[in-house]
Amino acid sequence: MLKAINVWKVLFLIFSIFVATTAFCHSGNKDGSTKLISSLGPGSLQRINALLANTDIVRLNFSHDSHVEHVRTFFRVQSWSLFNNKPIAVMADLQGPKIRLGNFANKEVHIHKGDVFTLSTDTSITGDRSRVSVDYPFLVSDVIHGDVLVIGDNLVNLKVLQADDGEIVCEVLNDAVVGSRKGINKVGGGISAPAFTEKDKADLTMALSMGVDYVAVSFVKSAQDILAVKKQINQLQSSAKVVAKIETREAIDNLESIIEAADLVMVARGDLGIEMGIAKVPFLQKKIIQVAKSLGKKVIVATQMMSSMMTNPTPTRAEVSDIANAVYDGADMIMFSEETAVGKYPALVVQIAREIIRSAEGSAEDLAGLLHLNAR
């Protein structure tokens, strides 16, 4: 793998010298309009040309794929950008301390409300209907009786009954099908894992060697998490900007200092909704945007912007309203995750989103007038 990475580095160095003769910027549009970020994955790489036509920034998710695959994707995006004379920035999204299940014997299991289900720190076991391993050994000490753990994006809720001797015994609170390698969150936060992991450090070094424009830091808890990443960026003499992903209770508690330390901020609504409760997400989105704007920082709104388009060629009316309202709230960028990474219609997602954004921006002045009348 190391040899393969070095080959890609040499190729990229040659490519970079050629690219340096053209004028590139950190974002696709120069008109100040809301930008679109597309996550790349199996669903988009086969149709990347149509996707990039309406994309300003691509996201490389370092929770998945190897370094060699990320280098290949980066090179492909930059080649398209040069050939089409359309600047495309690149964001490396670090995994952070994402806690995941181990593997099930048959890739997934059906569990039912009332079942007893055990999470074990013994990573050698193969999961079944009664237990599965977790890859974070200190989770046992981070939970107590009565805590609720969420697997996946609110896929299944587990109530902790007992936690000791390397096992967390839980009661299943709803019927669900649970697959291998799903993520785990604790409702209310309180996971002790550091935001900037050893894996993140290695991934960051590789991403900066490619020349990414942005680095997103996951599960930020304090300004120190951002400063640690910036220190490594400075040491490697990169100009990459740091994005603070707001998705933990601790981040909300330390919101202002985190945003001050970061270059940009992301409203990461998925994990934020799990830790804080989904009913609070709309208010928190507005609060994060307002604080960021007051500090002169740009904001990305992310997660389930058009999730129905993973399988359908048109968004729901609620999703259209969601994107428009993010624009009205003052979002500078909208980010797509699964919709463009693994969905069936990645290019159509960004095309429709662009139309929604144009409509919202065109009516923003009229909306401001209506709000002013209502406030009188």
Side-chain angles (χ1 to χ4, degrees):
M1 178 179 290
L2 183 59
K3 289 183 178 179
I5 291 175
N6 288 334
V7 169
W8 278 108
K9 283 185 177 180
V10 172
L11 290 173
F12 181 71
L13 178 61
I14 297 171
F15 175 76
S16 296
I17 294 172
F18 182 49
V19 169
T21 63
T22 65
F24 275 82
C25 60
H26 286 297
S27 59
N29 294 340
K30 296 182 181 180
D31 58 3
S33 64
T34 307
K35 306 297 188 291
L36 291 176
I37 304 174
S38 297
S39 300
L40 298 187
S44 51
L45 289 177
Q46 293 181 351
R47 293 160 283 185
I48 195 169
N49 292 351
L51 176 71
L52 293 179
N54 279 300
T55 294
D56 303 298
I57 302 169
V58 298
R59 169 181 174 250
L60 303 180
N61 187 354
F62 277 77
S63 296
H64 306 288
D65 299 329
S66 67
H67 285 183
V68 171
E69 289 170 316
H70 284 308
V71 170
R72 185 182 297 119
T73 300
F74 182 89
F75 189 85
R76 187 174 177 184
V77 170
Q78 294 293 65
S79 297
W80 184 96
S81 175
L82 179 64
F83 184 79
N84 290 276
N85 194 29
K86 179 182 184 295
I88 302 286
V90 179
M91 175 190 295
D93 195 340
L94 303 180
Q95 175 177 288
K98 186 71 172 179
I99 304 170
R100 294 188 180 276
L101 302 179
N103 293 313
F104 292 99
N106 296 315
K107 295 186 178 179
E108 62 182 27
V109 296
H110 292 254
I111 57 177
H112 303 281
K113 182 178 180 179
D115 288 351
V116 173
F117 191 75
T118 300
L119 304 175
S120 172
T121 58
D122 181 359
T123 56
S124 67
I125 69 172
T126 301
D128 56 29
R129 289 184 58 186
S130 65
R131 66 176 52 222
V132 71
S133 65
V134 292
D135 62 4
Y136 181 57
F138 303 108
L139 184 61
V140 174
S141 60
D142 285 343
V143 300
I144 60 174
H145 174 81
D147 281 343
V148 175
L149 299 175
V150 178
I151 297 177
D153 191 6
N154 280 318
L155 179 67
V156 61
N157 294 297
L158 306 175
K159 180 180 179 181
V160 175
L161 301 177
Q162 181 179 338
D164 56 31
D165 296 328
E167 293 190 339
I168 305 171
V169 181
C170 305
E171 176 188 356
V172 179
L173 299 181
N174 62 285
D175 297 347
V177 178
V178 181
S180 300
R181 303 299 299 160
K182 289 293 184 182
I184 307 173
N185 289 83
K186 177 185 172 185
V187 174
I191 298 298
S192 60
F196 192 37
T197 67
E198 291 303 314
K199 174 181 173 0
D200 292 336
K201 293 175 184 178
D203 289 343
L204 178 59
T205 297
M206 179 267 170
L208 296 178
S209 72
M210 289 193 301
V212 299
D213 302 279
Y214 301 100
V215 175
V217 186
S218 300
F219 301 101
V220 173
K221 297 178 182 177
S222 71
Q224 292 304 313
D225 296 329
I226 300 300
L227 296 177
V229 176
K230 283 195 168 185
K231 180 179 179 180
Q232 184 169 337
I233 290 174
N234 291 333
Q235 289 174 343
L236 295 174
Q237 299 181 329
S238 169
S239 59
K241 303 300 182 183
V242 177
V243 181
K245 295 171 67 176
I246 307 300
E247 53 191 337
T248 66
R249 177 178 290 276
E250 293 89 343
I252 295 299
D253 292 339
N254 300 307
L255 186 60
E256 188 166 331
S257 61
I258 289 172
I259 295 177
E260 285 181 334
D263 300 302
L264 300 90
V265 61
M266 181 189 297
V267 187
R269 304 185 304 182
D271 289 301
L272 183 63
I274 292 173
E275 293 217 0
M276 301 296 293
I278 58 174
K280 294 181 180 178
V281 169
F283 166 74
L284 291 174
Q285 175 173 311
K286 294 180 185 298
K287 178 180 179 179
I288 294 166
I289 291 174
Q290 287 182 2
V291 173
K293 293 297 182 182
S294 71
L295 296 172
K297 304 297 174 72
K298 292 188 175 182
V299 186
I300 303 165
V301 174
T303 315
Q304 294 182 331
M305 303 304 297
M306 280 186 175
S307 57
S308 71
M309 286 194 70
M310 289 182 64
T311 54
N312 298 315
T314 57
T316 66
R317 273 54 173 175
E319 289 168 339
V320 172
S321 295
D322 187 29
I323 290 180
N325 281 320
V327 174
Y328 295 143
D329 285 345
D332 299 282
M333 307 175 195
I334 302 294
M335 190 176 92
F336 297 107
S337 299
E338 293 181 332
E339 302 96 325
T340 55
V342 296
K344 292 174 63 176
Y345 307 99
L348 196 55
V349 166
V350 290
Q351 178 184 329
I352 293 174
R354 184 71 76 193
E355 294 172 2
I356 297 168
I357 288 170
R358 285 172 181 157
S359 176
E361 290 174 339
S363 59
E365 187 173 336
D366 291 338
L367 177 63
L370 288 173
L371 294 176
H372 178 71
L373 286 173
N374 290 333
R376 293 175 63 181

